[in-house]
PDB file of all heavy atoms in Angstrom:
ATOM      1  N   ILE J 203       5.156  62.279 103.031  1.00 98.00           N
ATOM      2  CA  ILE J 203       5.760  61.063 102.479  1.00 98.00           C
ATOM      3  C   ILE J 203       4.685  60.134 101.899  1.00 98.00           C
ATOM      4  O   ILE J 203       4.861  59.548 100.833  1.00 98.00           O
ATOM      5  CB  ILE J 203       6.580  60.325 103.555  1.00 98.00           C
ATOM      6  CG1 ILE J 203       7.834  61.138 103.904  1.00 98.00           C
ATOM      7  CG2 ILE J 203       6.969  58.921 103.087  1.00 98.00           C
ATOM      8  CD1 ILE J 203       8.682  60.539 104.995  1.00 98.00           C
ATOM      9  N   LYS J 204       3.566  60.030 102.577  1.00 98.00           N
ATOM     10  CA  LYS J 204       2.473  59.139 102.148  1.00 98.00           C
ATOM     11  C   LYS J 204       2.080  59.388 100.688  1.00 98.00           C
ATOM     12  O   LYS J 204       1.803  58.445  99.929  1.00 98.00           O
ATOM     13  CB  LYS J 204       1.263  59.344 103.061  1.00 98.00           C
ATOM     14  CG  LYS J 204       0.048  58.512 102.685  1.00 98.00           C
ATOM     15  CD  LYS J 204      -1.105  58.801 103.645  1.00 98.00           C
ATOM     16  CE  LYS J 204      -2.358  58.036 103.269  1.00 98.00           C
ATOM     17  NZ  LYS J 204      -3.468  58.323 104.215  1.00 98.00           N
ATOM     18  N   TYR J 205       2.049  60.665 100.290  1.00 98.00           N
ATOM     19  CA  TYR J 205       1.595  61.014  98.936  1.00 98.00           C
ATOM     20  C   TYR J 205       2.746  61.243  97.958  1.00 98.00           C
ATOM     21  O   TYR J 205       2.521  61.717  96.839  1.00 98.00           O
ATOM     22  CB  TYR J 205       0.707  62.260  99.001  1.00 98.00           C
ATOM     23  CG  TYR J 205      -0.600  62.023  99.714  1.00 98.00           C
ATOM     24  CD1 TYR J 205      -0.768  62.397 101.045  1.00 98.00           C
ATOM     25  CD2 TYR J 205      -1.666  61.405  99.065  1.00 98.00           C
ATOM     26  CE1 TYR J 205      -1.970  62.170 101.714  1.00 98.00           C
ATOM     27  CE2 TYR J 205      -2.878  61.173  99.719  1.00 98.00           C
ATOM     28  CZ  TYR J 205      -3.020  61.566 101.043  1.00 98.00           C
ATOM     29  OH  TYR J 205      -4.210  61.331 101.695  1.00 98.00           O
ATOM     30  N   ALA J 206       3.963  60.891  98.349  1.00 98.00           N
ATOM     31  CA  ALA J 206       5.119  61.186  97.500  1.00 98.00           C
ATOM     32  C   ALA J 206       5.116  60.403  96.185  1.00 98.00           C
ATOM     33  O   ALA J 206       5.743  60.818  95.217  1.00 98.00           O
ATOM     34  CB  ALA J 206       6.422  60.923  98.258  1.00 98.00           C
ATOM     35  N   ASP J 207       4.423  59.262  96.144  1.00 96.00           N
ATOM     36  CA  ASP J 207       4.318  58.517  94.886  1.00 96.00           C
ATOM     37  C   ASP J 207       3.117  58.966  94.046  1.00 96.00           C
ATOM     38  O   ASP J 207       2.990  58.565  92.890  1.00 96.00           O
ATOM     39  CB  ASP J 207       4.215  57.011  95.159  1.00 96.00           C
ATOM     40  CG  ASP J 207       5.554  56.401  95.551  1.00 96.00           C
ATOM     41  OD1 ASP J 207       6.591  56.881  95.044  1.00 96.00           O
ATOM     42  OD2 ASP J 207       5.574  55.465  96.370  1.00 96.00           O
ATOM     43  N   ASN J 208       2.254  59.795  94.634  1.00 96.00           N
ATOM     44  CA  ASN J 208       1.067  60.294  93.917  1.00 96.00           C
ATOM     45  C   ASN J 208       0.701  61.688  94.449  1.00 96.00           C
ATOM     46  O   ASN J 208      -0.334  61.863  95.093  1.00 96.00           O
ATOM     47  CB  ASN J 208      -0.097  59.313  94.105  1.00 96.00           C
ATOM     48  CG  ASN J 208      -1.314  59.709  93.285  1.00 96.00           C
ATOM     49  OD1 ASN J 208      -1.215  60.482  92.331  1.00 96.00           O
ATOM     50  ND2 ASN J 208      -2.484  59.207  93.666  1.00 96.00           N
ATOM     51  N   PRO J 209       1.571  62.688  94.219  1.00 97.00           N
ATOM     52  CA  PRO J 209       1.374  64.001  94.848  1.00 97.00           C
ATOM     53  C   PRO J 209       0.098  64.730  94.427  1.00 97.00           C
ATOM     54  O   PRO J 209      -0.401  65.567  95.182  1.00 97.00           O
ATOM     55  CB  PRO J 209       2.620  64.789  94.428  1.00 97.00           C
ATOM     56  CG  PRO J 209       3.242  64.030  93.329  1.00 97.00           C
ATOM     57  CD  PRO J 209       2.844  62.612  93.475  1.00 97.00           C
ATOM     58  N   THR J 210      -0.464  64.397  93.270  1.00 96.00           N
ATOM     59  CA  THR J 210      -1.693  65.078  92.859  1.00 96.00           C
ATOM     60  C   THR J 210      -2.855  64.720  93.782  1.00 96.00           C
ATOM     61  O   THR J 210      -3.831  65.463  93.875  1.00 96.00           O
ATOM     62  CB  THR J 210      -2.073  64.710  91.405  1.00 96.00           C
ATOM     63  OG1 THR J 210      -2.175  63.280  91.291  1.00 96.00           O
ATOM     64  CG2 THR J 210      -1.037  65.230  90.426  1.00 96.00           C
ATOM     65  N   ALA J 211      -2.752  63.591  94.490  1.00 97.00           N
ATOM     66  CA  ALA J 211      -3.810  63.176  95.429  1.00 97.00           C
ATOM     67  C   ALA J 211      -3.613  63.780  96.817  1.00 97.00           C
ATOM     68  O   ALA J 211      -4.467  63.621  97.691  1.00 97.00           O
ATOM     69  CB  ALA J 211      -3.846  61.654  95.537  1.00 97.00           C
ATOM     70  N   ALA J 212      -2.499  64.483  97.029  1.00 98.00           N
ATOM     71  CA  ALA J 212      -2.182  65.017  98.360  1.00 98.00           C
ATOM     72  C   ALA J 212      -3.093  66.189  98.722  1.00 98.00           C
ATOM     73  O   ALA J 212      -3.503  66.956  97.844  1.00 98.00           O
ATOM     74  CB  ALA J 212      -0.738  65.482  98.404  1.00 98.00           C
ATOM     75  N   PRO J 213      -3.429  66.336 100.012  1.00 97.00           N
ATOM     76  CA  PRO J 213      -4.156  67.537 100.443  1.00 97.00           C
ATOM     77  C   PRO J 213      -3.368  68.792 100.061  1.00 97.00           C
ATOM     78  O   PRO J 213      -2.129  68.772 100.025  1.00 97.00           O
ATOM     79  CB  PRO J 213      -4.224  67.376 101.972  1.00 97.00           C
ATOM     80  CG  PRO J 213      -4.031  65.917 102.214  1.00 97.00           C
ATOM     81  CD  PRO J 213      -3.132  65.424 101.129  1.00 97.00           C
ATOM     82  N   ALA J 214      -4.080  69.875  99.797  1.00 97.00           N
ATOM     83  CA  ALA J 214      -3.459  71.094  99.276  1.00 97.00           C
ATOM     84  C   ALA J 214      -2.320  71.598 100.150  1.00 97.00           C
ATOM     85  O   ALA J 214      -1.289  72.058  99.640  1.00 97.00           O
ATOM     86  CB  ALA J 214      -4.520  72.182  99.124  1.00 97.00           C
ATOM     87  N   GLU J 215      -2.465  71.457 101.479  1.00 96.00           N
ATOM     88  CA  GLU J 215      -1.479  72.043 102.387  1.00 96.00           C
ATOM     89  C   GLU J 215      -0.135  71.309 102.384  1.00 96.00           C
ATOM     90  O   GLU J 215       0.887  71.857 102.829  1.00 96.00           O
ATOM     91  CB  GLU J 215      -2.026  72.123 103.820  1.00 96.00           C
ATOM     92  CG  GLU J 215      -2.348  70.805 104.479  1.00 96.00           C
ATOM     93  CD  GLU J 215      -3.771  70.323 104.204  1.00 96.00           C
ATOM     94  OE1 GLU J 215      -4.413  70.851 103.260  1.00 96.00           O
ATOM     95  OE2 GLU J 215      -4.231  69.423 104.933  1.00 96.00           O
ATOM     96  N   ILE J 216      -0.101  70.085 101.876  1.00 97.00           N
ATOM     97  CA  ILE J 216       1.191  69.372 101.854  1.00 97.00           C
ATOM     98  C   ILE J 216       1.580  68.938 100.434  1.00 97.00           C
ATOM     99  O   ILE J 216       2.594  68.272 100.248  1.00 97.00           O
ATOM    100  CB  ILE J 216       1.201  68.150 102.811  1.00 97.00           C
ATOM    101  CG1 ILE J 216       0.044  67.192 102.519  1.00 97.00           C
ATOM    102  CG2 ILE J 216       1.194  68.574 104.253  1.00 97.00           C
ATOM    103  CD1 ILE J 216       0.488  65.928 101.864  1.00 97.00           C
ATOM    104  N   ARG J 217       0.806  69.365  99.444  1.00 98.00           N
ATOM    105  CA  ARG J 217       1.060  68.921  98.060  1.00 98.00           C
ATOM    106  C   ARG J 217       2.445  69.346  97.571  1.00 98.00           C
ATOM    107  O   ARG J 217       3.124  68.597  96.870  1.00 98.00           O
ATOM    108  CB  ARG J 217      -0.023  69.440  97.123  1.00 98.00           C
ATOM    109  CG  ARG J 217       0.024  68.804  95.717  1.00 98.00           C
ATOM    110  CD  ARG J 217      -1.186  69.195  94.892  1.00 98.00           C
ATOM    111  NE  ARG J 217      -2.400  68.725  95.532  1.00 98.00           N
ATOM    112  CZ  ARG J 217      -3.534  69.440  95.632  1.00 98.00           C
ATOM    113  NH1 ARG J 217      -3.588  70.663  95.119  1.00 98.00           N
ATOM    114  NH2 ARG J 217      -4.594  68.946  96.221  1.00 98.00           N
ATOM    115  N   GLU J 218       2.871  70.555  97.923  1.00 98.00           N
ATOM    116  CA  GLU J 218       4.192  71.024  97.492  1.00 98.00           C
ATOM    117  C   GLU J 218       5.294  70.103  98.017  1.00 98.00           C
ATOM    118  O   GLU J 218       6.223  69.738  97.284  1.00 98.00           O
ATOM    119  CB  GLU J 218       4.443  72.453  97.976  1.00 98.00           C
ATOM    120  CG  GLU J 218       5.826  72.976  97.587  1.00 98.00           C
ATOM    121  CD  GLU J 218       6.149  74.351  98.165  1.00 98.00           C
ATOM    122  OE1 GLU J 218       5.226  75.016  98.699  1.00 98.00           O
ATOM    123  OE2 GLU J 218       7.325  74.750  98.105  1.00 98.00           O
ATOM    124  N   TYR J 219       5.181  69.715  99.291  1.00 98.00           N
ATOM    125  CA  TYR J 219       6.186  68.823  99.881  1.00 98.00           C
ATOM    126  C   TYR J 219       6.221  67.479  99.168  1.00 98.00           C
ATOM    127  O   TYR J 219       7.293  66.960  98.834  1.00 98.00           O
ATOM    128  CB  TYR J 219       5.889  68.606 101.368  1.00 98.00           C
ATOM    129  CG  TYR J 219       6.013  69.833 102.230  1.00 98.00           C
ATOM    130  CD1 TYR J 219       4.911  70.338 102.920  1.00 98.00           C
ATOM    131  CD2 TYR J 219       7.235  70.474 102.392  1.00 98.00           C
ATOM    132  CE1 TYR J 219       5.020  71.452 103.732  1.00 98.00           C
ATOM    133  CE2 TYR J 219       7.352  71.594 103.200  1.00 98.00           C
ATOM    134  CZ  TYR J 219       6.243  72.086 103.871  1.00 98.00           C
ATOM    135  OH  TYR J 219       6.356  73.189 104.662  1.00 98.00           O
ATOM    136  N   SER J 220       5.038  66.896  98.950  1.00 98.00           N
ATOM    137  CA  SER J 220       4.967  65.583  98.292  1.00 98.00           C
ATOM    138  C   SER J 220       5.483  65.659  96.855  1.00 98.00           C
ATOM    139  O   SER J 220       6.156  64.731  96.382  1.00 98.00           O
ATOM    140  CB  SER J 220       3.518  65.073  98.301  1.00 98.00           C
ATOM    141  OG  SER J 220       3.051  64.889  99.616  1.00 98.00           O
ATOM    142  N   THR J 221       5.189  66.755  96.181  1.00 98.00           N
ATOM    143  CA  THR J 221       5.670  66.943  94.806  1.00 98.00           C
ATOM    144  C   THR J 221       7.190  67.025  94.773  1.00 98.00           C
ATOM    145  O   THR J 221       7.844  66.397  93.927  1.00 98.00           O
ATOM    146  CB  THR J 221       5.063  68.220  94.191  1.00 98.00           C
ATOM    147  OG1 THR J 221       3.630  68.112  94.185  1.00 98.00           O
ATOM    148  CG2 THR J 221       5.548  68.438  92.766  1.00 98.00           C
ATOM    149  N   ALA J 222       7.765  67.780  95.698  1.00 98.00           N
ATOM    150  CA  ALA J 222       9.229  67.906  95.764  1.00 98.00           C
ATOM    151  C   ALA J 222       9.879  66.549  96.032  1.00 98.00           C
ATOM    152  O   ALA J 222      10.894  66.196  95.405  1.00 98.00           O
ATOM    153  CB  ALA J 222       9.616  68.916  96.838  1.00 98.00           C
ATOM    154  N   LEU J 223       9.309  65.773  96.950  1.00 98.00           N
ATOM    155  CA  LEU J 223       9.835  64.441  97.247  1.00 98.00           C
ATOM    156  C   LEU J 223       9.758  63.532  96.021  1.00 98.00           C
ATOM    157  O   LEU J 223      10.688  62.771  95.728  1.00 98.00           O
ATOM    158  CB  LEU J 223       9.071  63.812  98.412  1.00 98.00           C
ATOM    159  CG  LEU J 223       9.307  64.443  99.787  1.00 98.00           C
ATOM    160  CD1 LEU J 223       8.296  63.905 100.802  1.00 98.00           C
ATOM    161  CD2 LEU J 223      10.729  64.181 100.278  1.00 98.00           C
ATOM    162  N   ASN J 224       8.660  63.622  95.302  1.00 98.00           N
ATOM    163  CA  ASN J 224       8.487  62.814  94.099  1.00 98.00           C
ATOM    164  C   ASN J 224       9.523  63.180  93.038  1.00 98.00           C
ATOM    165  O   ASN J 224      10.093  62.296  92.378  1.00 98.00           O
ATOM    166  CB  ASN J 224       7.070  63.010  93.543  1.00 98.00           C
ATOM    167  CG  ASN J 224       6.824  62.192  92.291  1.00 98.00           C
ATOM    168  OD1 ASN J 224       7.029  62.670  91.184  1.00 98.00           O
ATOM    169  ND2 ASN J 224       6.377  60.963  92.467  1.00 98.00           N
ATOM    170  N   ILE J 225       9.795  64.458  92.878  1.00 98.00           N
ATOM    171  CA  ILE J 225      10.780  64.911  91.896  1.00 98.00           C
ATOM    172  C   ILE J 225      12.174  64.388  92.252  1.00 98.00           C
ATOM    173  O   ILE J 225      12.916  63.910  91.389  1.00 98.00           O
ATOM    174  CB  ILE J 225      10.764  66.448  91.785  1.00 98.00           C
ATOM    175  CG1 ILE J 225       9.463  66.903  91.095  1.00 98.00           C
ATOM    176  CG2 ILE J 225      11.986  66.969  91.040  1.00 98.00           C
ATOM    177  CD1 ILE J 225       9.186  68.397  91.186  1.00 98.00           C
ATOM    178  N   ILE J 226      12.522  64.441  93.537  1.00 98.00           N
ATOM    179  CA  ILE J 226      13.842  63.969  93.971  1.00 98.00           C
ATOM    180  C   ILE J 226      13.992  62.469  93.744  1.00 98.00           C
ATOM    181  O   ILE J 226      15.027  62.000  93.267  1.00 98.00           O
ATOM    182  CB  ILE J 226      14.084  64.328  95.456  1.00 98.00           C
ATOM    183  CG1 ILE J 226      14.273  65.824  95.618  1.00 98.00           C
ATOM    184  CG2 ILE J 226      15.280  63.555  96.017  1.00 98.00           C
ATOM    185  CD1 ILE J 226      15.484  66.403  94.908  1.00 98.00           C
ATOM    186  N   LYS J 227      12.958  61.696  94.072  1.00 97.00           N
ATOM    187  CA  LYS J 227      13.091  60.243  93.855  1.00 97.00           C
ATOM    188  C   LYS J 227      13.029  59.895  92.366  1.00 97.00           C
ATOM    189  O   LYS J 227      13.456  58.815  91.973  1.00 97.00           O
ATOM    190  CB  LYS J 227      12.058  59.445  94.670  1.00 97.00           C
ATOM    191  CG  LYS J 227      10.624  59.594  94.247  1.00 97.00           C
ATOM    192  CD  LYS J 227       9.761  58.478  94.863  1.00 97.00           C
ATOM    193  CE  LYS J 227       9.573  58.628  96.344  1.00 97.00           C
ATOM    194  NZ  LYS J 227       8.702  57.561  96.905  1.00 97.00           N
ATOM    195  N   THR J 228      12.537  60.815  91.539  1.00 98.00           N
ATOM    196  CA  THR J 228      12.561  60.621  90.089  1.00 98.00           C
ATOM    197  C   THR J 228      13.980  60.810  89.555  1.00 98.00           C
ATOM    198  O   THR J 228      14.426  60.067  88.677  1.00 98.00           O
ATOM    199  CB  THR J 228      11.592  61.599  89.391  1.00 98.00           C
ATOM    200  OG1 THR J 228      10.260  61.381  89.886  1.00 98.00           O
ATOM    201  CG2 THR J 228      11.593  61.393  87.882  1.00 98.00           C
ATOM    202  N   VAL J 229      14.702  61.797  90.083  1.00 98.00           N
ATOM    203  CA  VAL J 229      16.111  61.996  89.706  1.00 98.00           C
ATOM    204  C   VAL J 229      16.957  60.811  90.163  1.00 98.00           C
ATOM    205  O   VAL J 229      17.846  60.349  89.449  1.00 98.00           O
ATOM    206  CB  VAL J 229      16.696  63.282  90.348  1.00 98.00           C
ATOM    207  CG1 VAL J 229      18.174  63.450  89.960  1.00 98.00           C
ATOM    208  CG2 VAL J 229      15.912  64.518  89.952  1.00 98.00           C
ATOM    209  N   LEU J 230      16.652  60.324  91.372  1.00 98.00           N
ATOM    210  CA  LEU J 230      17.497  59.320  92.031  1.00 98.00           C
ATOM    211  C   LEU J 230      16.716  58.060  92.405  1.00 98.00           C
ATOM    212  O   LEU J 230      16.687  57.664  93.575  1.00 98.00           O
ATOM    213  CB  LEU J 230      18.116  59.927  93.283  1.00 98.00           C
ATOM    214  CG  LEU J 230      19.331  60.834  93.067  1.00 98.00           C
ATOM    215  CD1 LEU J 230      19.497  61.799  94.226  1.00 98.00           C
ATOM    216  CD2 LEU J 230      20.586  59.979  92.890  1.00 98.00           C
TER     217      LEU J 230
END
Side-chain angles (χ1 to χ4, degrees):
I203 291 177
K204 178 181 178 180
Y205 293 99
D207 284 327
N208 185 19
T210 56
E215 63 272 16
I216 55 107
R217 191 172 299 138
E218 178 185 349
Y219 295 118
S220 298
T221 301
L223 290 169
N224 180 268
I225 289 168
I226 290 297
K227 68 164 71 178
T228 301
V229 179
L230 281 156

